[in-house]
Amino acid sequence: MPTKRTALTGPITLLSLGHACVDVYQGAVAALVPFYVSERSYTYAAASGIVLAVSLLSSVVQPLFGALTDKWAMPWLLPVSTLVGGSGVALAGVSGSYALTLAVVALSGIGIAAYHPESARMARTASRGSHTAMGWFSLGGNLGFATAPLLVAAVVATGGLRASPLLVVPALAGAALCVAALRAVEAVPAVPAAPRVSGTAGGGDRDDRDDWASFMKLTGAIVCRSIVFVGLSAFISLFVRQRTGGGEAAGTAALFVLYLGGAVGTVTGGKLATRHGRLPVVRWSYALTVLAVAGVVLVPGPLLYVFVALTSAGLYVPFSLHVTLAQDYLPRRVGTASGVTLGLAVSIGGVASPLIGAVADATSLRTALAPLIALPALGWFLLRTLNEPEMPDAGPRRPAATPHPPAARDACVKSFQHDDQG
């Protein structure tokens, strides 16, 4: 009989690996930008328009999928959306037509949008409220981002952009992992929803636990984080080549550092939150990001890589904490919360990419990236007044008049601490 720890870590591991296979394609779009510039002579604005295509579709569609998963469980979306997301990117280098390239990348964006709300809902079920477990789930996506520049560089090296169909391989693996994850999650009891409160003046049920004001402030902060992340993702490779005098390898290495630092940051964020609380960790991360982005923009030479790594940590430490905070601010709308925090608020940063590209075409990349320094400070300002949301119950409520005996209470505490370490 599997232990409780195995019951949690098995599904989370499968979901994390599947998440990696999907988010390869979010990272791949940005990783393709330098090759569109070099092989097809796209301007910065035109190349960033491709990032906009995937971001805009994902931004609009993902909250819709989140709302749908609040009403109906749609586990079949995981393997199907993984295949759709991978197919779009795999076709992104086949045709020289700019319009067709935009279309297939947009298709990929729809697949990515469909995947995240349902996968986050399932990860919440499998994690049983553990910040660390949700950190591991988010880690998978970050590893996918980190792998994307290396995978794209290796594929394009074999035959240019026309070799892009080889990029479908992670999608095939991801679909198989999603099917296995669905079977594993079925064995994990769902986190019960909080009881509805009735008796409002207008009659019917009233939802007292959805804190929309706090959720919107959190969303605003995530949008600030998104613009910084997407802007750097689209242009850091080209920027580092200019600032260091290196070639394609130097640019790819910078993008890899930007993504890989997130793998460490996400897991670290979950552990720090367990010890210090989610909001203090999130606020300090945004403060760190202000200084780190300033270093990226202003510091020349190889030292720039250090600030890229610090920026990555500052952007990613709060990543999984954003998701759990949003879900706890909207406990009755977990799919919507996940769709906004993993979709709309994250991918909307792509909307700013063409503006950054246009400024870069008119002036310089350094001038275009400089405004990104101020955005984490704005995010910190939005976060400073937030309070920790009430945690949803991990199990059925017990009557207030029959509290746990001391021994049973201590056993429950030890069990929760053990789960959170898993």
Side-chain angles (χ1 to χ4, degrees):
M1 181 176 179
T3 65
K4 192 172 186 180
R5 181 183 180 88
T6 303
L8 291 177
T9 57
I12 286 294
T13 299
L14 291 170
L15 286 167
S16 180
L17 291 173
H19 196 185
C21 292
V22 172
D23 277 6
V24 159
Y25 298 109
Q26 291 211 79
V29 175
L32 285 167
V33 165
F35 299 102
Y36 286 129
V37 172
S38 60
E39 288 195 25
R40 297 183 181 176
S41 300
Y42 287 172
T43 64
Y44 291 142
S48 60
I50 296 172
V51 179
L52 172 64
V54 66
S55 299
L56 192 58
L57 259 294
S58 185
S59 297
V60 173
V61 174
Q62 198 155 169
L64 172 61
F65 280 108
L68 291 175
T69 59
D70 282 334
K71 293 181 177 295
W72 304 285
M74 295 187 287
W76 55 268
L77 270 179
L78 268 64
V80 171
S81 60
T82 300
L83 291 174
V84 172
S87 298
V89 170
L91 296 172
V94 172
S95 172
S97 166
Y98 185 75
L100 185 58
T101 299
L102 286 176
V104 295
V105 169
L107 176 68
S108 179
I110 293 174
I112 293 168
Y115 171 85
H116 281 98
E118 183 66 10
S119 66
R121 184 187 68 81
M122 289 201 161
R124 180 181 175 88
T125 297
S127 70
R128 301 292 292 169
S130 166
H131 300 323
T132 304
M134 285 298 289
W136 284 109
F137 167 70
S138 298
L139 170 65
N142 298 337
L143 288 176
F145 264 110
T147 304
L150 303 181
L151 180 63
V152 168
V155 167
V156 174
T158 66
L161 286 172
R162 292 189 178 275
S164 66
L166 293 174
L167 294 173
V168 78
V169 173
L172 300 176
L177 286 165
C178 286
V179 172
L182 294 179
R183 293 174 179 171
V185 171
E186 287 177 357
V188 179
V191 177
R196 297 186 69 84
V197 180
S198 59
T200 61
D205 291 335
R206 180 165 59 94
D207 187 355
D208 282 339
R209 297 195 60 193
D210 281 345
D211 184 353
W212 283 99
S214 295
F215 177 77
M216 294 307 296
K217 289 179 182 179
L218 176 66
T219 299
I222 299 173
V223 168
C224 293
R225 182 251 183 216
S226 170
I227 295 173
V228 174
F229 179 75
V230 177
L232 290 178
S233 296
F235 296 109
I236 193 68
S237 182
L238 296 168
F239 182 67
V240 167
R241 291 188 205 180
Q242 293 178 5
R243 298 287 284 173
T244 65
E248 287 186 0
T252 299
L255 190 57
F256 178 68
V257 170
L258 180 66
Y259 290 165
L260 185 63
V264 178
T266 300
V267 175
T268 302
K271 293 184 179 297
L272 289 174
T274 300
R275 176 174 295 183
H276 303 291
R278 289 178 290 184
L279 284 171
V281 172
V282 172
R283 292 185 188 112
W284 278 108
S285 298
Y286 276 70
L288 168 65
T289 305
V290 175
L291 300 176
V293 175
V296 170
V297 175
L298 303 175
V299 175
L303 188 60
L304 187 151
Y305 286 99
V306 175
F307 287 100
V308 172
L310 290 174
T311 298
S312 180
L315 292 172
Y316 272 112
V317 162
F319 188 78
S320 66
L321 306 181
H322 288 152
V323 179
T324 61
L325 280 167
Q327 290 174 339
D328 290 342
Y329 283 134
L330 301 183
R332 296 193 181 284
R333 296 173 175 82
V334 170
T336 299
S338 303
V340 172
T341 53
L342 287 171
L344 176 64
V346 172
S347 55
I348 201 170
V351 176
S353 292
L355 177 61
I356 296 173
V359 174
D361 285 330
T363 56
S364 69
L365 263 179
R366 185 180 181 186
T367 301
L369 295 177
L372 300 184
I373 299 171
L375 288 171
L378 177 59
W380 176 88
F381 180 80
L382 292 170
L383 292 165
R384 69 187 181 90
T385 59
L386 292 183
N387 296 316
E388 186 73 23
E390 181 183 349
M391 292 296 292
D393 294 333
R397 290 181 181 266
R398 296 181 180 271
T402 57
H404 289 295
R409 183 185 65 242
D410 293 343
C412 289
V413 172
K414 290 179 180 178
S415 174
F416 177 79
Q417 290 174 339
H418 177 72
D419 289 347
D420 201 47
Q421 291 170 356

